[in-house]
Amino acid sequence: MARTDARYREAYNTLLDYCGRLQVGGAVPSESELADVAGVSRTVVRRCLARLEETGIISWNGRHKRLLKRPANDDRLELLGDRTAAEDLEQRFLEWVLRFDVPADTPLSVAELSRMFSVPQHELKEFLAGLSRFGLVARRPRGGWMLRGFTKEFAVELSDFRKVLELNAVRIATDAPVGHPIWTTLSELRHAHLDLKSRIKTDFHEFSKLDERFHEAINSVVSNRFIAEFQKVISLIFHYHFLWDKADEQERNAAAIEEHLAIIDALEARDPDGAAKAAEKHLRTSKTTLLSSLRYHELG
Amino acid sequence: MARTDARYREAYNTLLDYCGRLQVGGAVPSESELADVAGVSRTVVRRCLARLEETGIISWNGRHKRLLKRPANDDRLELLGDRTAAEDLEQRFLEWVLRFDVPADTPLSVAELSRMFSVPQHELKEFLAGLSRFGLVARRPRGGWMLRGFTKEFAVELSDFRKVLELNAVRIATDAPVGHPIWTTLSELRHAHLDLKSRIKTDFHEFSKLDERFHEAINSVVSNRFIAEFQKVISLIFHYHFLWDKADEQERNAAAIEEHLAIIDALEARDPDGAAKAAEKHLRTSKTTLLSSLRYHELG
DNA sequence: TCAAATGTTTTTAATAATATCAATCATCGA
DNA sequence: TCGATGATTGATATTATTAAAAACATTTGA
């Protein structure tokens, strides 16, 4: 067997419904028309017609098609679900790498990953090929893949790259016109930060989510497909690493809130230099935290 | 058939050569040793041994292997060549897109491309999956791929992204220590620029190559896998677009030489602000040229 | 006896093969 | 004559098959 006939099955049920709305004994429209109704090609329609004839729901003879009886409910074809597995492969893959702390230079077996994530092998290969563009995985000389992994070098390069992108975003944000949605978002974020600050003693773990929202907002002012693509990966990696490092979490998060607020202050004051300085300070802290979380893991 | 047995064929010939250097009547080394010699697994070695025995070149009985006769030249297996096709697929693909000016939103047929570049389909799919990370191609709803292409938006976003990366590189370059290779390279580039400037009237078309060298040198100070990956694509695209736009080529190139020299001056003077300004000016010019070359093509 | 060599089995990655779907072209009939 | 159908071609997604590698088990001979 090759590909699934899910498309045919869905079309068949659609046509069944459609026939249900026709007069018994009346004519069934042309193949092209039915193709439009079901949103598939004529080839699929003809397969459906063949089955409809076989089941005795219609008669079919050249271009003479008649509805013989009203289709019953159990004439419908069952559609095999399970169409969400490949959805968030990226998320699940990175989650696996980070959660289980898969070491650098681990050989990745397409077959094994395919089972683990219940995704067909060829989809995994395409996915890995995509990741290789980010330097996260690489091809091995004689076939197969390997995880280049979260080494110290990787973390440094990632942080530096993030800094380049985000300082650029901050610079652009200060130039955003008054009506730009960023200002509303920033104002909301300020309140969210002040709110969390007031109850940081107990709810400090909520910061991780807030951090993600904050950086996403900053970067949203840059409409650039290249940057956007990277941002997804970057934020995911930073997110997970912060969850890792449990040492001094409350203090770190409290400090980060202040740093965020400083950035918001400078942005709202339309102070490019001040915003850049504040952002730089915050990104330096982030980098340190990322590196220390790696060290922590190496020792553990 | 499934995968090719090219590996086996090559190994067989290697072992044939190896046997040629042994004494006739003498013992043939162990399977593992032969595996090392040919650089393949024992499985392949055993297939080779089986054939060697069949051909009567060796006798094989458990661990007793003897060379019966010196292998002749026509004992060798023919290896189906064509093993360099997939080498620079990226280069060839982009060259095709740019040279033939393939319009945006063109549907890409994997089968057709596979024939065109003589690369197996699955390799092309992996390649396209990689490119999709750069937003150059995208999946179509019902299977297949399409070229998102070199629209105006693409050019703008690419230029902006390049600017972000390259200004960062310039900033880092001014901080490079005295012994850093960049200073030698820059000095060489200065001479090359002055040289070309003196004969710009006739040799202006040489500039494209020099431009590539210059930007590569600037970016070489940044050792970052993410940036490096992008740089390849960016430089290729700019390179081809400059080749396109024939209007005022000599003047444009003469002006660009001055801009490059200004950047080199500022860098050698260790003047970060001056270098950033000069670079920004040059990148603005590049962006304009890229956009005008697109307009030119739209009209043509 | 025990390490090295061989025999056997399992697993993986590369690639051919194929079912499904889409599109085109030729033909037919009202 | 034009719209509908029939036949053909060519594409992609997915399975099946095979070469190669790796893992495991057994044997042999110094």
Side-chain angles (χ1 to χ4, degrees):
Chain A
M1 245 176 296
R3 59 202 283 182
T4 65
D5 57 356
R7 204 163 167 62
Y8 154 70
R9 287 161 177 276
E10 205 162 332
Y12 184 80
N13 289 342
T14 306
L15 290 185
L16 223 51
D17 292 344
Y18 181 80
C19 287
R21 290 194 296 277
L22 294 178
Q23 272 200 334
V24 174
V28 176
S30 76
E31 293 175 3
S32 337
E33 208 164 314
L34 293 174
D36 278 349
V37 167
V40 296
S41 73
R42 267 182 55 218
T43 315
V44 182
V45 168
R46 301 178 109 243
R47 259 190 83 186
C48 294
L49 288 175
R51 186 186 164 90
L52 283 170
E53 191 199 14
E54 217 173 274
T55 330
I57 296 173
I58 65 166
S59 66
W60 186 21
N61 223 308
R63 62 193 63 192
H64 302 290
K65 298 187 287 289
R66 299 215 155 291
L67 185 62
L68 295 182
K69 63 176 184 190
R70 195 156 298 281
N73 224 334
D74 62 314
D75 284 328
R76 299 175 72 85
L77 287 174
E78 203 167 342
L79 7 120
L80 353 88
D82 211 17
R83 268 299 81 190
T84 56
E87 284 300 282
D88 50 355
L89 181 57
E90 175 166 313
Q91 178 106 15
R92 287 190 294 144
F93 178 79
L94 289 176
E95 203 166 315
W96 169 71
V97 171
L98 293 167
R99 215 176 260 294
F100 292 95
D101 200 11
V102 183
D105 297 337
T106 303
L108 298 175
S109 146
V110 172
E112 197 180 341
L113 294 174
S114 161
R115 282 191 297 273
M116 179 155 38
F117 296 113
S118 27
V119 160
Q121 291 200 11
H122 59 98
E123 273 182 43
L124 249 157
K125 277 166 70 172
E126 282 184 19
F127 169 69
L128 291 176
L131 276 194
S132 76
R133 289 283 184 168
F134 293 148
L136 260 162
V137 301
R139 259 193 177 299
R140 275 186 303 168
R142 288 218 224 308
W145 298 85
M146 96 189 181
L147 185 72
R148 288 192 58 188
F150 298 100
T151 59
K152 182 162 164 290
E153 288 74 35
F154 184 90
V156 169
E157 291 176 17
L158 186 73
S159 298
D160 290 347
F161 191 54
R162 184 198 201 196
K163 184 172 146 193
V164 170
L165 295 187
E166 202 142 327
L167 286 182
N168 174 59
V170 165
R171 209 173 310 121
I172 291 174
T174 51
D175 283 342
V178 178
H180 196 285
I182 180 71
W183 303 119
T184 325
T185 314
L186 277 183
S187 158
E188 284 165 16
L189 278 169
R190 176 197 290 282
H191 286 116
H193 276 82
L194 289 173
D195 174 42
L196 184 58
K197 181 181 172 181
S198 71
R199 50 196 174 83
I200 190 71
K201 287 253 161 71
T202 51
D203 300 337
F204 58 87
H205 51 271
E206 276 182 31
F207 175 73
S208 169
K209 207 72 204 159
L210 192 56
D211 186 70
E212 224 177 332
R213 265 178 65 202
F214 176 76
H215 288 282
E216 200 183 308
I218 297 282
N219 285 295
S220 73
V221 297
V222 186
S223 58
N224 188 299
R225 68 185 78 178
F226 306 105
I227 294 177
E229 198 59 47
F230 264 110
Q231 215 58 53
K232 282 194 300 187
V233 177
I234 290 177
S235 75
L236 207 59
I237 290 174
F238 272 87
H239 178 69
Y240 275 99
H241 271 94
F242 287 150
L243 290 184
W244 266 3
D245 197 356
K246 292 302 177 199
D248 313 316
E249 198 182 354
Q250 186 189 317
E251 290 76 19
R252 269 195 293 110
N253 289 353
I257 287 181
E258 297 301 335
E259 290 176 1
H260 281 187
L261 286 172
I263 297 174
I264 296 178
D265 284 344
L267 282 177
E268 292 188 335
R270 304 289 200 282
D271 171 12
D273 292 337
K277 269 214 173 60
E280 211 159 342
K281 178 158 183 278
H282 177 55
L283 291 168
R284 204 159 35 235
T285 313
S286 280
K287 181 176 175 177
T288 311
T289 311
L290 181 62
L291 284 171
S292 86
S293 101
L294 278 177
R295 249 195 305 285
Y296 173 77
H297 257 69
E298 271 167 25
L299 296 173
Chain B
M1 242 179 294
R3 61 195 282 181
T4 64
D5 56 356
R7 205 162 166 62
Y8 153 71
R9 286 162 178 277
E10 204 163 331
Y12 184 80
N13 289 342
T14 306
L15 291 184
L16 224 50
D17 292 343
Y18 181 80
C19 287
R21 290 194 296 277
L22 294 177
Q23 271 198 337
V24 176
V28 176
S30 77
E31 294 174 4
S32 336
E33 205 162 320
L34 294 174
D36 279 349
V37 167
V40 294
S41 74
R42 266 184 58 219
T43 313
V44 181
V45 168
R46 302 181 109 243
R47 258 187 87 188
C48 294
L49 287 174
R51 188 187 163 92
L52 283 169
E53 190 199 12
E54 216 173 275
T55 330
I57 296 174
I58 66 166
S59 67
W60 187 21
N61 224 310
R63 61 193 63 191
H64 302 289
K65 298 186 288 291
R66 299 216 155 288
L67 185 63
L68 295 181
K69 64 176 184 193
R70 195 155 298 280
N73 223 336
D74 62 317
D75 285 328
R76 299 176 72 86
L77 286 175
E78 202 167 344
L79 11 117
L80 346 92
D82 216 16
R83 267 298 82 189
T84 55
E87 285 301 282
D88 49 354
L89 180 58
E90 175 165 312
Q91 177 104 17
R92 287 190 295 145
F93 178 80
L94 290 177
E95 205 166 311
W96 170 70
V97 171
L98 294 166
R99 214 177 261 294
F100 293 96
D101 199 12
V102 184
D105 297 337
T106 302
L108 298 175
S109 149
V110 172
E112 197 180 340
L113 293 174
S114 162
R115 283 191 295 273
M116 179 158 30
F117 297 114
S118 24
V119 160
Q121 290 199 12
H122 61 98
E123 273 182 43
L124 250 157
K125 276 166 71 174
E126 282 184 19
F127 170 68
L128 290 176
L131 275 195
S132 76
R133 288 287 185 165
F134 292 151
L136 258 162
V137 300
R139 263 193 176 296
R140 275 186 304 169
R142 288 213 226 309
W145 298 85
M146 97 190 178
L147 185 72
R148 288 191 58 189
F150 298 101
T151 59
K152 183 163 163 288
E153 289 73 35
F154 184 91
V156 169
E157 290 175 17
L158 186 73
S159 298
D160 290 348
F161 190 55
R162 185 199 201 196
K163 184 173 145 190
V164 171
L165 295 186
E166 202 142 328
L167 286 182
N168 174 59
V170 165
R171 208 174 310 121
I172 290 175
T174 51
D175 284 340
V178 178
H180 196 285
I182 181 70
W183 303 120
T184 324
T185 314
L186 277 184
S187 156
E188 282 164 17
L189 279 169
R190 175 196 291 282
H191 286 117
H193 276 80
L194 289 174
D195 174 42
L196 184 57
K197 181 181 171 181
S198 71
R199 51 197 172 81
I200 190 71
K201 288 252 161 74
T202 51
D203 300 337
F204 59 87
H205 51 273
E206 276 182 30
F207 176 72
S208 170
K209 208 71 205 159
L210 191 57
D211 186 69
E212 225 177 331
R213 267 179 63 202
F214 176 75
H215 288 283
E216 199 184 308
I218 298 282
N219 285 296
S220 72
V221 297
V222 187
S223 58
N224 188 301
R225 66 183 78 178
F226 306 105
I227 293 176
E229 195 61 45
F230 262 108
Q231 216 60 53
K232 281 193 302 186
V233 178
I234 289 178
S235 74
L236 206 61
I237 289 175
F238 274 87
H239 178 69
Y240 275 100
H241 272 94
F242 286 151
L243 290 185
W244 267 1
D245 197 356
K246 292 302 178 198
D248 315 316
E249 197 182 354
Q250 185 188 319
E251 290 75 18
R252 268 196 294 108
N253 290 353
I257 287 181
E258 296 302 333
E259 290 176 2
H260 281 187
L261 286 171
I263 297 174
I264 296 178
D265 284 344
L267 282 176
E268 291 189 336
R270 304 289 200 282
D271 171 11
D273 291 338
K277 268 213 176 60
E280 211 158 342
K281 178 157 182 279
H282 177 55
L283 291 169
R284 205 158 35 233
T285 313
S286 281
K287 182 175 174 178
T288 311
T289 311
L290 180 62
L291 284 172
S292 85
S293 99
L294 278 178
R295 249 194 306 283
Y296 173 76
H297 256 69
E298 271 167 25
L299 297 174

